[in-house]
Amino acid sequence: MTIRIQPTTPFNDQKPGTSGLRKKVKVFQEPGYLENFVQACFDVVGVPSGQTLVVGGDGRFFNDCAIQTILKMAAANGVTKVLVGQHGILSTPATSCVIRKYQAMGGFILSASHNPAGPDEDFGIKYNVSNGGPAPEGVTNAVFAQTLAMDHYKIVDSADIDLSVIGETQVGDMLVSIIDSVADYAELMQSLFDFSAIRQLLSSEFRMVFDAMHAVTGPYAKVILEEMLGAPQGTVINGIPLSDFGGGHPDPNLTYADALVEIMYGDNAPDFGAASDGDGDRNMILGNHFFVNPSDSLALIAANAHFVPAYAKGLTGVARSMPTSGAVDRVAEAMGIDCYETPTGWKFFGNLMDAGKVVLCGEESFGTGSNHVREKDGLWAVLFWLNVLAARKGESVESIVLHHWQQYGRNVYSRHDYEGVDATAAAQVMDHVRSYFERDLQMPRLANRLVSLWDDFAYSDPVDGSETTGQGLRVLFEDGSRIVFRLSGTGTQGATIRIYLESFEADSAKHCIDAQILLADLIAASHEISNLPQLTGRDEPTVIT
Ligand code: G16
């Protein structure tokens, strides 16, 4: 095996965002761009001898090319064995599952999640560590520093391998094992949930539809829902992964999952609808003419965990990202367990799960998961809901949510996204919020409420003591309401401003009122504090959740 030491020069824009490095495909196709990042990861994490690496992605355009390059670089960097999903396909939670099951050193996940795919769209890469979770900030910061100092990368000159055939082959001295993309993950799901109860539910009058949005979850959903659980053929729609996701935007929300929304809000709608995103870690849950807000979904999952075999013995604790509503906090309080508040990004849950402090985690951004892997997990959430629906025989999704609100009160919640905003204008919006509060020591009254605190959220990891600052501007009101302003860390074009709005409604007579109506005064206040309409020229959010 001949290792080629290829001279290179650094790129200065390889700082990983909320979840890895995401750029346009064209950027990744620049000579050395992918290679520099991969080499920086190997340089930082090191490659002890005898180690296994996992590589897979969501099947988007450039997935297979990137895998061939990574394999040649892994061989040159001394990796002993690589596990690759067949056709280069591994969902993000499945990658986490495989890393953990085979005690691999870590893995590369090739995905830009829900961002559109194709030659002119987005690509992404992130490194997950040996616990199966995204590399923590200490590692991603070190990788970024290393990318700024790159002068060479290592690669072997060998032919591309066939990713379509399950079996073993060699790249240089390194063994490559092409594995079934679904089997390990499906087996894990079977070990967590009451499959026979779900099978019974799916063979009854109950009707469901799962929209894989032409992204990675299709093959997983087909095997698990249709083959293992006996849901009728056709339950999974848009189930074939396409390299451009069929031209769609596989972000499971009310705007982009419009095909599913149409079915679930149409005549003769099914009882249950769900969708997952590009790489299979997000989920959206719908009932017949009913949307479950992701923050509520997390709270409901926690409150109903006793129905699910793997969680029936109780939860040690739960965690949510800061912008996620406090609905799960109320459940945790009632259960007498800890609830942690972390910055946005699944990587912040890893330490808490490894230390046994939390079992369930979730985010407002359609992410829910547990300590079964170290990523959020779209199909897991769908199976959790199905298990709960099977156990609470005959109850609809809507009735389960309304009962939950009756018991705990409703954390009325919404997120307003302003996508593709000019980056300078977005920075001005954030500055305007800061200066609004900095100009006066007195806390103002807004939306008929007294502001009790404003800050830029900072987090001190209770396990390793690491500090993370600048995680979102919070405006907290005396009555528990909140407005949070954050810039997204996952976009590739301009900036995305996210405004998170939350208030609490104890009166069940008001629980059915639309969140946008209940939050109208906070929405108006958010514009007043930030001057967003004037600074960005936008009257309406791009996406409302
Ligand atoms: C990623 C992260 C999540 C985060 C989400 C949104 O999800 O893993 O933790 O909540 O992005 O982040 P932002 O608000 O910075 O855009 P995914 O599904 O894109 O990998």
Side-chain angles (χ1 to χ4, degrees):
M1 176 177 83
T2 314
I3 298 172
R4 177 154 55 89
I5 308 291
Q6 177 68 38
T8 187
T9 49
F11 295 88
N12 64 9
D13 64 348
Q14 296 197 317
K15 187 172 174 53
T18 310
S19 184
L21 184 66
R22 293 181 189 172
K23 300 279 177 197
K24 291 287 166 206
V25 167
K26 294 267 187 299
V27 175
F28 272 101
Q29 286 172 326
E30 286 174 39
Y33 195 88
L34 171 71
E35 291 85 345
N36 275 18
F37 188 79
V38 171
Q39 186 63 52
C41 291
F42 282 132
D43 291 346
V44 166
V45 300
V47 183
S49 71
Q51 291 289 325
T52 297
L53 184 75
V54 179
V55 181
D58 61 15
R60 67 177 58 225
F61 185 84
F62 199 57
N63 193 50
D64 42 4
C65 286
I67 290 176
Q68 301 289 355
T69 301
I70 292 169
L71 291 177
K72 290 167 197 171
M73 291 186 66
N77 278 278
V79 174
T80 303
K81 181 177 180 183
V82 181
L83 304 176
V84 187
Q86 189 182 17
H87 304 293
I89 293 277
L90 274 179
S91 76
T92 291
T95 311
S96 188
C97 158
V98 171
I99 291 172
R100 292 170 70 77
K101 179 169 176 178
Y102 297 100
Q103 293 170 355
M105 61 179 274
F108 284 103
I109 299 181
L110 306 172
S111 171
S113 187
H114 52 283
N115 295 9
D120 297 317
E121 297 294 352
D122 292 356
F123 190 73
I125 179 168
K126 71 174 178 176
Y127 187 76
N128 277 28
V129 293
S130 60
N131 73 351
E137 282 221 310
V139 175
T140 55
N141 288 341
V143 167
F144 177 50
Q146 184 67 6
T147 63
L148 297 174
M150 295 306 295
D151 58 10
H152 72 275
Y153 61 82
K154 295 185 212 164
I155 193 158
V156 298
D157 290 312
S158 66
D160 286 355
I161 62 163
D162 184 353
L163 299 175
S164 68
V165 183
I166 290 180
E168 295 193 331
T169 178
Q170 293 278 138
V171 171
D173 295 340
M174 183 181 78
L175 186 69
V176 179
S177 181
I178 309 288
I179 60 169
D180 183 316
S181 311
V182 178
D184 294 311
Y185 177 82
E187 183 187 288
L188 177 59
M189 291 303 109
Q190 196 165 18
S191 74
L192 302 175
F193 298 103
D194 186 345
F195 266 35
S196 75
I198 300 175
R199 202 175 294 117
Q200 226 175 332
L201 175 76
L202 293 174
S203 65
S204 68
E205 299 287 282
F206 182 89
R207 288 186 303 127
M208 74 166 284
V209 56
F210 178 87
D211 187 353
M213 303 187 84
H214 284 307
V216 79
T217 339
Y220 295 87
K222 281 247 163 220
V223 168
I224 295 171
L225 297 175
E226 295 185 3
E227 290 174 26
M228 296 169 80
L229 290 167
Q233 295 282 322
T235 296
V236 177
I237 60 169
N238 302 318
I240 297 174
L242 300 173
S243 67
D244 66 350
F245 299 146
H249 189 157
D251 197 355
N253 60 37
L254 293 171
T255 302
Y256 296 121
D258 46 348
L260 177 70
V261 171
E262 212 170 290
I263 295 171
M264 296 306 298
Y265 283 83
D267 294 340
N268 194 24
D271 304 286
F272 181 71
S276 193
D277 69 333
D279 61 329
D281 57 1
R282 296 187 178 204
N283 73 91
M284 176 168 71
I285 302 294
L286 298 168
N288 183 332
H289 290 76
F290 192 82
F291 167 67
V292 184
N293 187 288
S295 293
D296 283 329
S297 181
L298 171 64
L300 274 140
I301 280 175
N304 289 278
H306 55 281
F307 288 121
V308 177
Y311 310 96
K313 56 188 181 300
L315 308 172
T316 53
V318 294
R320 64 166 170 85
S321 65
M322 179 274 283
T324 304
S325 95
V328 72
D329 304 37
R330 296 178 193 280
V331 176
E333 195 185 344
M335 286 177 161
I337 60 173
D338 289 330
C339 178
Y340 295 84
E341 184 180 40
T342 64
T344 295
W346 206 261
K347 60 191 171 204
F348 293 102
F349 295 137
N351 275 350
L352 297 172
M353 287 193 272
D354 286 350
K357 289 182 180 296
V358 305
V359 173
L360 299 177
C361 310
E363 296 186 282
E364 46 65 39
S365 54
F366 295 88
T368 342
S370 85
N371 58 358
H372 66 289
V373 289
R374 293 293 182 275
E375 287 280 3
K376 57 187 186 271
D377 191 341
L379 259 180
W380 172 90
V382 174
L383 291 166
F384 206 115
W385 267 93
L386 286 171
N387 198 146
V388 170
L389 286 161
R392 294 177 64 160
K393 291 183 181 39
E395 263 188 278
S396 70
V397 170
E398 179 173 1
S399 126
I400 288 175
V401 175
L402 292 180
H403 276 114
H404 184 91
W405 288 342
Q406 251 166 30
Q407 187 177 352
Y408 296 95
R410 177 181 176 194
N411 285 66
V412 184
Y413 186 81
S414 183
R415 185 178 98 180
H416 289 198
D417 296 336
Y418 294 82
E419 296 178 332
V421 171
D422 171 71
T424 310
Q428 285 169 349
V429 167
M430 299 300 277
D431 284 345
H432 200 277
V433 177
R434 280 189 202 93
S435 55
Y436 184 94
F437 289 101
E438 276 165 358
R439 69 184 177 186
D440 201 337
L441 285 177
Q442 287 287 314
M443 286 301 165
R445 273 191 89 77
L446 283 164
N448 224 8
R449 301 161 164 92
L450 190 66
V451 175
S452 57
L453 175 86
W454 84 275
D455 68 1
D456 198 343
F457 183 65
Y459 178 65
S460 178
D461 186 304
V463 179
D464 66 15
S466 57
E467 304 282 338
T468 307
T469 55
Q471 294 298 307
L473 301 176
R474 302 192 294 179
V475 181
L476 309 182
F477 294 88
E478 245 181 9
D479 69 350
S481 309
R482 298 193 299 166
I483 304 174
V484 177
F485 298 84
R486 243 190 98 245
L487 297 183
S488 158
T490 55
T492 58
Q493 221 162 15
T496 294
I497 303 168
R498 303 205 196 283
I499 304 182
Y500 310 84
L501 305 135
E502 178 177 3
S503 67
F504 181 67
E505 185 54 73
D507 180 0
S508 54
K510 294 189 186 156
H511 284 168
C512 287
I513 300 174
D514 184 75
Q516 304 309 312
I517 295 169
L518 292 172
L519 295 168
D521 53 353
L522 288 175
I523 295 168
S526 74
H527 290 181
E528 182 187 335
I529 310 167
S530 65
N531 205 23
L532 183 143
Q534 288 75 11
L535 289 170
T536 63
R538 300 284 183 90
D539 295 333
E540 294 289 330
T542 330
V543 178
I544 294 180
T545 299

